[in-house]
Amino acid sequence: MGPPIFCKTSELFLPATSCPAAQTKSKKTLAKPNIRNIVVVDGVRIPFLQSGTSYKDLMPHDLARAAFSGLLHRTNVSKDVVDYIIFGTVIQEVKTSNVAREAALGAGFSDKTPAHTVTMACISANQAMITGVGLIASGQCDVVVAGGVELMSDVPIRHSRKIRKMMLDLNKAKTLGQRLSLLSKFRLNFLSPELPAVAEFSTSETMGHSADRLAAAFAVSRADQDEYALRSHSLAKKAQDEGLLSDIVPFKVPGKDTVTKDNDIRPSSLEQMAKLKPAFIKPYGTVTTANSSFLTDGASAMLIMAEEKALAMGYKLKAYLRDFVYVSQDPKDQLLLGPTYATPKVLEKAGLTLNDIDAFEFHEAFSGQILANFKAMDSDWFAQNYMGRKTKVGSPPLEKFNNWGGSLSLGHPFGATGCRLVMAGANRLRKEGGQYGLVAACAAGGQGHAMIVEAYPK
């Protein structure tokens, strides 16, 4: 496979095959006969915050409710016109397991509007959106609200299974003798808590370990990972300063100040980043806290409609949601390669090539994950030996890639990132005058998702 040669463009490294060149672009629309056009009216998110900060005393439904309220204010959609609500989340609060319903009721949506919650790791919001697309395409609904939420500041910490079993048995015991008999079996180690971990159930390996191994397998250096992370933070800071992150809505945190912007965008220096020790594989790993996405609290929401319904209601539309694919592969060695597998499939489905795409928005779990995907996508050898394809799809040109920052800098609330990616793509197309965006993400379990977003004609 071998490492690719890199060139320099505007002080940001680009794979040599991706250096700026004349781009060809089709102007055809991706509308399909006899299938409803599905549009994004608008989408919002509350600021994404590092866990343990301003949202730490709230519950997930509080964040989701704030996103709903922001969407209602932004779009002025009647709460009664929404046919269905779907939200994604990963680490569920047991008191609000169907957080979509609880947050919808809290935001004042009609109690006649059904709502359900989905989980698909880092592509949970993607799944929420696509479920909404399916409901509209099939004619079951005209108006769907989709989104996602994650509150990493307060995750469930369970008692050990032994103490849980004892407590349940005690609850069932009918006599004092039965209770005393059960209590006599108690041991102090029963009180050891079960701490949550971002780890694969099937492999018991944390995602950080997988990222480190993936970077090593594709010969992605620590220096390249740090440089990519610095790029993400620098572009996010520029976008923040220029007011480009227009999907953000302010959130008045009860008892605290109003939060108006993401709080962990931190352009540093390569020298400072190089001083950090490996976070997962010590002492020789290359993944650090600086080139990884951070634990994040946040929520997002999006208003999706059938085109004819949206136009009848007088809306100015953002984008069409077009072709999409899901992929799944080995959760041990290919855990984070979802974009590599999904990108060529969604392009073929849409009848497009890589050169047709004007805006790429990929989820950045780790710098090493992004750069490993670039190398895999740009390798004929990988395409032929692992993907059953004759040729590579090619690496996305960096001048079109995550131009307003990504999950490394903006944050990654597991259940909410999918909507952020789509709105970033749609808003970039409108700002930059492009037609097609490609959104892609990897997810725990070795799964992935990609979707084409088409700008709505002005």
Side-chain angles (χ1 to χ4, degrees):
M1 191 160 28
I5 300 169
F6 289 94
C7 70
K8 291 278 184 177
T9 300
S10 302
E11 299 181 352
L12 298 174
F13 66 92
L14 302 181
T17 54
S18 300
C19 294
Q23 299 290 317
T24 59
K25 186 166 76 69
S26 166
K27 292 294 184 182
K28 68 179 181 181
T29 181
L30 298 182
K32 290 183 170 59
N34 303 318
I35 295 180
R36 300 177 96 185
N37 282 327
I38 296 159
V39 295
V40 175
V41 174
D42 214 335
V44 304
R45 62 183 179 93
I46 59 172
F48 287 179
L49 303 188
Q50 187 176 31
S51 63
T53 58
S54 294
Y55 299 157
K56 65 181 180 180
D57 296 323
L58 303 179
M59 291 177 66
H61 78 284
D62 294 316
L63 307 190
R65 182 177 59 211
F68 280 147
S69 297
L71 183 69
L72 289 167
H73 183 263
R74 175 75 61 90
T75 62
N76 289 316
V77 68
S78 168
K79 297 172 184 177
D80 296 325
V81 81
V82 176
D83 298 314
Y84 207 96
I85 297 169
I86 314 153
F87 240 52
T89 198
V90 178
I91 300 178
Q92 291 187 342
E93 161 62 53
V94 294
K95 292 181 179 178
T96 56
S97 58
N98 187 2
V99 69
R101 177 64 170 170
E102 304 306 333
L105 291 173
F109 282 97
S110 168
D111 58 11
K112 306 299 183 188
T113 303
H116 80 267
T117 301
V118 298
T119 187
M120 203 173 180
C122 301
I123 54 175
S124 294
N126 308 62
Q127 180 59 262
M129 286 185 288
I130 296 307
T131 302
V133 167
L135 287 170
I136 296 171
S138 65
Q140 300 300 310
C141 298
D142 290 324
V143 182
V144 171
V145 169
V149 63
E150 211 68 47
L151 182 71
M152 296 302 295
S153 290
D154 181 30
V155 296
I157 299 175
R158 303 200 303 178
H159 289 296
S160 71
R161 182 147 196 170
K162 290 178 179 178
I163 195 67
R164 298 200 312 266
K165 185 175 185 301
M166 177 172 284
M167 291 169 72
L168 290 170
D169 288 343
L170 281 169
N171 193 49
K172 296 176 184 176
K174 291 182 170 56
T175 67
L176 179 61
Q178 288 175 334
R179 293 191 182 96
L180 291 174
S181 176
L182 285 168
L183 289 171
S184 70
K185 298 175 184 176
F186 172 78
R187 299 293 179 269
L188 198 59
N189 66 1
F190 286 14
L191 296 177
S192 298
E194 291 181 358
L195 300 175
V198 184
E200 292 297 302
F201 181 79
S202 59
T203 65
S204 298
E205 187 175 57
T206 67
M207 193 170 281
H209 277 87
S210 295
D212 231 328
R213 288 196 303 102
L214 187 69
F218 282 88
V220 178
S221 71
R222 164 75 179 271
D224 282 349
Q225 291 176 60
D226 286 350
E227 190 173 354
Y228 181 85
L230 180 58
R231 173 190 188 269
S232 182
H233 282 275
S234 299
L235 291 175
K237 183 66 166 66
K238 183 174 184 289
Q240 188 179 65
D241 291 346
E242 294 178 1
L244 299 176
L245 305 180
S246 59
D247 56 334
I248 294 178
V249 292
F251 177 23
K252 175 63 175 73
V253 180
K256 298 182 181 180
D257 293 336
T258 299
V259 180
T260 60
K261 62 183 181 178
D262 307 318
N263 74 350
D264 210 40
I265 298 173
R266 54 185 197 287
S268 180
S269 69
L270 294 176
E271 291 73 25
Q272 288 296 112
M273 295 167 76
K275 295 177 182 178
L276 295 176
K277 294 181 179 179
F280 300 99
I281 298 179
K282 303 173 182 180
Y284 302 114
T286 57
V287 175
T288 71
T289 54
N291 57 42
S292 308
S293 58
F294 50 91
L295 296 180
T296 314
D297 301 334
S300 59
M302 181 183 293
L303 181 60
I304 305 170
M305 289 190 184
E307 182 183 25
E308 68 273 16
K309 179 74 171 182
L311 292 176
M313 294 178 68
Y315 280 113
K316 185 177 180 180
L317 309 179
K318 289 265 185 177
Y320 293 108
L321 298 181
R322 296 302 196 189
D323 293 282
F324 61 89
V325 297
Y326 290 98
V327 294
S328 189
Q329 52 276 340
D330 171 24
K332 182 170 178 62
D333 293 323
Q334 301 189 55
L335 177 71
L336 303 171
L337 289 178
T340 295
Y341 283 85
T343 296
K345 285 188 174 182
V346 79
L347 288 172
E348 287 176 357
K349 203 169 185 184
L352 300 175
T353 69
L354 205 68
N355 283 339
D356 292 321
I357 303 302
D358 302 295
F360 293 87
E361 287 291 333
F362 281 24
H363 164 48
E364 300 169 346
F366 305 88
S367 289
Q369 161 253 333
I370 287 290
L371 297 179
N373 273 276
F374 283 176
K375 288 192 174 188
M377 294 169 75
D378 208 32
S379 168
D380 283 325
W381 183 89
F382 189 86
Q384 292 160 6
N385 287 273
Y386 284 92
M387 301 174 66
R389 307 182 68 84
K390 293 180 180 179
T391 59
K392 64 188 181 184
V393 66
S395 177
L398 228 62
E399 67 271 15
K400 298 180 178 181
F401 190 87
N402 289 14
N403 287 4
W404 295 352
S407 301
L408 289 169
S409 49
L410 302 172
H412 173 41
F414 300 151
T417 288
C419 285
R420 180 194 68 75
L421 292 171
V422 169
M423 288 314 302
N427 288 332
R428 278 183 57 201
L429 291 174
R430 182 164 289 275
K431 175 75 173 176
E432 299 164 5
Q435 184 173 355
Y436 300 128
L438 196 159
V439 171
C442 58
Q447 304 195 99
H449 176 256
M451 180 166 60
I452 302 293
V453 177
E454 182 181 348
Y456 197 85
K458 291 183 180 180

